[in-house]
């Protein structure tokens, strides 16, 4: 039994090699002429379809991908990182100079924090004089609200 793909491919091949009733030409011959007039896509458009994208890490230690924000360590603020989605489209891997520095599941949440990043972000700025335990307590008590934004 033929698969649907085989049937469609044979049909497309046959139709592309038959003369059209409207112009008495074969589509396959017209295609050769028409593609000479095509221009390559502008780089600004093609970069959105590349599997690897670059972003500059913001002052709040986040990168934006598909209109959602994902955390990285504050060590990378201001630096260019590469984002590589996995082939299944469920995870992004973030690299700095070829070394993976973070990985996040893609979600519908507006803000996506790794716990270690969240701790390091607070320690580097807002709570630099606090102990690790105080920061952890603050995170548990006050920052869970961010997990609900954008859901």
């Amino acid at each position: 039994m033929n698969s649907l793909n085989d049937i469609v491919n044979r049909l497309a091949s046959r139709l592309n090699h038959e003369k059209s009733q409207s112009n008495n030409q074969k589509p396959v011959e017209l295609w050769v002429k028409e593609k000479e007039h095509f221009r390559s896509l502008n780089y600004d458009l093609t970069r959105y379809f590349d599997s690897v994208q670059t972003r500059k890490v913001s002052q709040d230690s986040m990168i934006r991908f598909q209109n959602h924000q994902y955390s990285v360590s504050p060590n990378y603020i201001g630096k260019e990182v590469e984002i590589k989605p996995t082939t299944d489209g469920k995870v992004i891997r973030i690299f700095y100079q070829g070394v993976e520095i973070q990985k996040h599941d893609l979600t519908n949440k507006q803000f996506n924090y790794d716990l270690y990043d969240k701790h390091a972000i607070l320690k580097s700025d807002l709570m630099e004089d606090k102990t690790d335990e105080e920061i952890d307590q603050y995170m548990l008590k006050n920052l869970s609200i961010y997990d609900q934004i954008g859901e």
Side-chain angles (χ1 to χ4, degrees), residues 2 8 25 37 39 41 53 72 82 90 103 114-115:
N2 292 328
V8 170
Q25 292 183 299
H37 302 287
R39 293 181 296 188
L41 285 176
Q53 299 178 32
V72 296
E82 289 185 335
K90 294 182 180 181
K103 178 169 62 172
D114 172 84
L115 284 178

Side-chain angles (χ1 to χ4, degrees), residues 57-121:
V57 178
S58 68
Q59 286 300 106
D60 54 356
S61 200
M62 304 290 277
I63 56 102
R64 182 174 290 278
F65 182 76
Q66 295 181 346
N67 216 24
H68 301 281
Q69 294 187 56
Y70 298 89
S71 69
V72 296
S73 168
N75 298 338
Y76 300 99
I77 291 174
K79 297 192 176 5
E80 290 278 326
V81 296
E82 289 185 335
I83 303 167
K84 297 180 183 179
T86 55
T87 53
D88 63 8
K90 294 182 180 181
V91 174
I92 57 169
R93 298 169 61 212
I94 304 169
F95 294 81
Y96 178 69
Q97 295 182 344
V99 176
E100 185 172 335
I101 60 169
Q102 188 52 272
K103 178 169 62 172
H104 284 278
D105 291 336
L106 291 175
T107 70
N108 289 327
K109 291 191 242 176
Q110 184 61 40
F111 301 99
N112 298 274
Y113 286 97
D114 172 84
L115 284 178
Y116 294 109
D117 293 342
K118 190 185 293 188
H119 186 98
I121 292 164

Side-chain angles (χ1 to χ4, degrees), residues 15-27:
L15 293 175
N16 282 322
H17 288 85
E18 288 179 3
K19 286 188 176 183
S20 168
Q21 292 177 358
S22 65
N23 61 16
N24 204 31
Q25 292 183 299
K26 295 179 182 179

